[in-house]
Amino acid sequence: KAGVTQTPRYLIKTRGQQVTLSCSPISGHRSVSWYQQTPGQGLQFLFEYFSETQRNKGNFPGRFSGRQFSNSRSEMNVSTLELGDSALYLCASSFDSYGYTFGSGTRLTVV
Amino acid sequence: AQKITQTQPGMFVQEKEAVTLDCTYDTSDQSYGLFWYKQPSSGEMIFLIYQGSYDEQNATEGRYSLNFQKARKSANLVISASQLGDSAMYFCAMREGRFDSARQLTFGSGTQLTVLP
């Protein structure tokens, strides 16, 4: 079966711009969660969506937002980009919380 | 306090030997799950093994086994017969709470494993 698909793989944006990242979960998985990975802070939880509802949110500013569509695909948006937003953004899909399957990530560089 | 602690930033192992990657955790929940993931330089997080807090047996998946010591709150990953392809960053992670309510993973800082030929 197809895995978790994240697009795009790489992205370069300028400070102040906004960006939208996409995640298509494994078929049948209704939970999608997002993580930010940086060398300084490691892996940090952003938010989790289930059946189009945000169920849980990490400690990130309001510039970070997301949504989930009826087909379980999820997008995350970062507005007013800062240099510190440069990171690998990973999404994980889950059928139940016994297993989380991650995508290959989107590597965002803010210049 | 750190919920997941990995004290080995880097480890080296000779090909075909076994290696243990350390992980300690901190939680007051009775129900929780522990995961190990492998992250090669490409960035993808690859699931290796899972241990539930109520599982009495240590989890095993092929060459991977989890040495679960609940009283000591440790969940060390053992890789037997190391291969060159095992060179990667390894993360220990925890899901707190029951599986039907817990919604996020907390990760450790990772251990960079290098397998030497």
Side-chain angles (χ1 to χ4, degrees):
Chain A
K1 58 183 178 181
V4 179
T5 303
Q6 289 190 247
T7 55
R9 287 295 311 274
Y10 302 92
L11 209 46
I12 299 175
K13 289 285 187 180
T14 305
R15 267 184 306 175
Q17 286 187 314
Q18 75 165 15
V19 67
T20 299
L21 313 181
S22 177
C23 173
S24 293
I26 290 171
S27 178
H29 287 193
R30 291 193 291 167
S31 168
V32 174
S33 48
W34 289 88
Y35 293 81
Q36 181 197 64
Q37 185 177 21
T38 60
Q41 299 297 318
L43 280 146
Q44 294 185 286
F45 171 75
L46 281 155
F47 29 64
E48 188 252 1
Y49 287 87
F50 182 87
S51 292
E52 303 179 65
T53 301
Q54 186 183 89
R55 294 200 299 189
N56 201 11
K57 189 176 191 308
N59 188 24
F60 277 82
R63 300 185 297 107
F64 292 81
S65 63
R67 59 178 176 169
Q68 187 180 34
F69 302 94
S70 58
N71 61 357
S72 293
R73 188 177 72 86
S74 176
E75 288 181 347
M76 73 162 267
N77 184 76
V78 188
S79 63
T80 320
L81 283 165
E82 301 176 359
L83 295 179
D85 297 333
S86 294
L88 177 67
Y89 290 88
L90 291 159
C91 118
S93 82
S94 178
F95 177 75
D96 56 40
S97 296
Y98 286 122
Y100 298 82
T101 304
F102 284 81
S104 299
T106 294
R107 199 169 292 276
L108 171 66
T109 302
V110 182
V111 297
Chain B
Q2 293 285 338
K3 286 185 178 276
I4 296 285
T5 302
Q6 294 180 253
T7 57
Q8 306 153 314
M11 288 278 286
F12 292 88
V13 65
Q14 210 67 39
E15 195 179 7
K16 298 179 187 174
E17 292 187 350
V19 62
T20 299
L21 306 184
D22 294 341
C23 172
T24 57
Y25 60 92
D26 183 27
T27 181
S28 56
D29 285 347
Q30 295 301 307
S31 179
Y32 52 89
L34 297 157
F35 301 78
W36 278 92
Y37 284 88
K38 171 185 176 181
Q39 187 178 44
S41 56
S42 59
E44 183 179 3
M45 297 285 279
I46 301 167
F47 168 75
L48 296 177
I49 199 165
Y50 167 81
Q51 179 86 39
S53 58
Y54 294 116
D55 295 339
E56 303 213 342
Q57 303 273 356
N58 284 344
T60 59
E61 291 281 354
R63 295 187 298 111
Y64 304 106
S65 61
L66 201 153
N67 184 0
F68 181 46
Q69 297 188 41
K70 195 169 181 176
R72 297 180 61 183
K73 294 190 173 178
S74 76
N76 298 339
L77 176 71
V78 180
I79 306 174
S80 63
S82 297
Q83 301 171 356
L84 295 178
D86 293 336
S87 294
M89 183 72 89
Y90 288 79
F91 290 96
C92 179
M94 177 171 63
R95 178 216 71 227
E96 292 177 275
R98 284 171 48 83
F99 72 92
D100 56 353
S101 65
R103 289 142 196 183
Q104 68 184 79
L105 294 176
T106 303
F107 285 87
S109 55
T111 295
Q112 180 69 47
L113 177 67
T114 303
V115 181
L116 304 170

